[in-house]
Amino acid sequence: MNDGDLYRDDPDFADVECPDCGTTDVTVASLFGSTTSEVLFQCDRCRSCFNWVKWRHRLPPVPAENR
Amino acid sequence: MSTPVATAEPAARTALQNDLLCVADTKLVLGNWFAECVMNGKSLPDFAAMLGMCTASYGQTRAIYHWLDTLDHSYGHLEHGRGRAEIRSMDLLDPAPENWQDFIVSTWLAEQATWSMASGFLRNPDRTVAGIARKIGEEAYFHLKYAAGWFRIIEASDEEGELLRASVTRRFPLALRWFGPLDAADDLHAAGLRDDPLPDIRAGFVGEVRSALKPFGVDATGVEATFEADWRPDARRTGPLPERLFEVIRFKDQEIAR
């Protein structure tokens, strides 16, 4: 199992588009890309690789609110 | 310029600095875990992830040290002036990982526990503290996602699942201990410097752990922390940092560090 399989249905990445061909058929190649703040993707259609900035101000569940 | 923390009662001001230093020092040791273990990664994405999480952890440590420097601490002393008895990291991270599954469980528990503690400062009246807490959360979001990915891989193997369960048995009580005795009063919350009472945060942490470990048949209910005679409430740890671990995490050359 590689990162692509692990994160294939991850809702955080549902809208990520290939900057070259525009498809959303993209696969996570590495959860941490060329910098810590990026995810490395590969396009399933045109095969180009691209980095995607990950910060969307999302936080893990706040424990005290979910107990 | 005075801040809400600078003008707080001395006991509350000290307690807030103590808890943030415990988070910072745990992130220091956690960052070193990632650095030391990077060559044990299973693939290139693991190397990228571990180095990324290493630098993020150091960044969080240094952000907190800088904030503490504006109050009752000195940045230089915090970063390279302390002995092993002064480091306040979670003792969950004292024993080195025994295998890959233990590494994933230990780093995940440390991330989850430190995020839980930081989440109690998201609405802190000091905007810097609230901002640091939020940044820790944003970074922890992807650190926890990385661990969740590995849990899915480990879940597919009975043998690896057994190693994970053994690790949880050893490490989870140590993570719980970090939150202190259940009956301890939360003076920080009473002073308005922690959003929620610590017992609520601890209960939420247990809930997150139980939920994540459900696929492995681990029932974390009823697990309790024990407190030895040398438990240090202000450091949230037992005794000093082990000598060998301190040798790994300490700054080796102060001249170069400058």
Side-chain angles (χ1 to χ4, degrees):
Chain A
M1 201 181 288
N2 58 35
D3 277 17
D5 299 322
L6 287 176
Y7 305 111
R8 188 163 298 284
D9 300 319
D10 192 315
D12 282 341
F13 306 136
D15 300 328
V16 177
E17 292 180 0
C18 171
D20 289 329
C21 71
T23 182
T24 55
D25 294 333
V26 297
T27 299
V28 173
S30 177
L31 194 57
F32 290 77
S34 50
T35 67
T36 307
S37 58
E38 295 168 320
V39 176
L40 179 64
F41 280 91
Q42 183 166 34
C43 176
D44 292 339
R45 191 159 74 185
C46 71
R47 308 307 296 165
S48 60
C49 289
F50 62 95
N51 283 299
W52 177 82
V53 176
K54 60 175 57 153
W55 313 133
R56 294 293 185 273
H57 306 299
R58 292 193 179 118
L59 300 175
V62 176
E65 293 173 3
N66 290 303
R67 69 195 173 88
Chain B
M1 188 175 72
S2 67
T3 65
V5 175
T7 55
E9 288 295 317
R13 170 188 165 115
T14 300
L16 178 61
Q17 291 179 84
N18 286 346
D19 271 0
L20 282 166
L21 186 51
C22 291
V23 172
D25 281 351
T26 298
K27 292 288 188 172
L28 172 68
V29 175
L30 183 61
N32 275 280
W33 265 57
F34 289 128
E36 287 291 313
C37 296
V38 69
M39 294 312 290
N40 295 95
K42 307 298 180 192
S43 66
L44 201 53
D46 282 327
F47 300 152
M50 290 162 80
L51 291 171
M53 292 189 288
C54 167
T55 55
S57 301
Y58 289 159
Q60 293 164 13
T61 297
R62 286 174 166 149
I64 295 173
Y65 286 174
H66 274 294
W67 179 78
L68 291 168
D69 183 69
T70 67
L71 294 167
D72 303 331
H73 294 267
S74 140
Y75 183 93
H77 180 71
L78 287 173
E79 185 156 295
H80 42 76
R82 292 182 294 165
R84 67 189 180 96
E86 295 171 273
I87 305 293
R88 305 189 187 195
S89 75
M90 190 185 302
D91 42 21
L92 159 75
L93 296 174
D94 281 5
E98 294 185 4
N99 48 54
W100 181 254
Q101 293 73 23
D102 190 30
F103 171 78
I104 295 294
V105 166
S106 304
T107 52
W108 168 71
L109 280 172
E111 288 281 6
Q112 190 70 62
T114 46
W115 158 241
S116 299
M117 186 66 78
S119 72
F121 302 121
L122 284 169
R123 299 190 301 276
N124 196 275
D126 185 311
R127 289 180 60 194
T128 303
V129 171
I132 290 172
R134 179 159 294 278
K135 191 62 186 165
I136 287 174
E138 288 178 358
E139 294 181 342
Y141 188 88
F142 281 89
H143 299 188
L144 295 170
K145 192 188 284 289
Y146 171 77
W150 263 105
F151 281 173
R152 290 179 60 193
I153 295 173
I154 293 170
E155 194 187 336
S157 156
D158 289 344
E159 189 184 342
E160 292 190 36
E162 196 50 51
L163 290 170
L164 178 141
R165 282 185 284 276
S167 173
V168 170
T169 303
R170 280 193 308 274
R171 306 272 184 178
F172 182 50
L174 299 176
L176 274 182
R177 182 157 71 189
W178 196 60
F179 291 92
L182 265 177
D183 55 356
D186 186 357
D187 297 336
L188 212 44
H189 175 65
L193 293 176
R194 182 168 9 241
D195 305 346
D196 302 291
L198 196 53
D200 289 4
I201 293 173
R202 181 190 190 272
F205 165 73
V206 173
E208 294 296 330
V209 169
R210 284 180 62 188
S211 165
L213 296 178
K214 209 170 182 179
F216 296 96
V218 175
D219 182 11
T221 316
V223 176
E224 290 301 335
T226 55
F227 296 88
E228 315 297 331
D230 54 347
W231 166 253
R232 298 156 57 201
D234 62 336
R236 297 193 173 279
R237 64 164 292 117
T238 307
L241 202 69
E243 205 161 343
R244 287 178 63 189
L245 179 59
F246 179 66
E247 195 54 35
V248 170
I249 65 120
R250 74 174 179 84
F251 261 90
K252 305 298 186 297
D253 189 334
Q254 293 187 27
E255 299 306 313
I256 291 174
R258 288 197 186 96

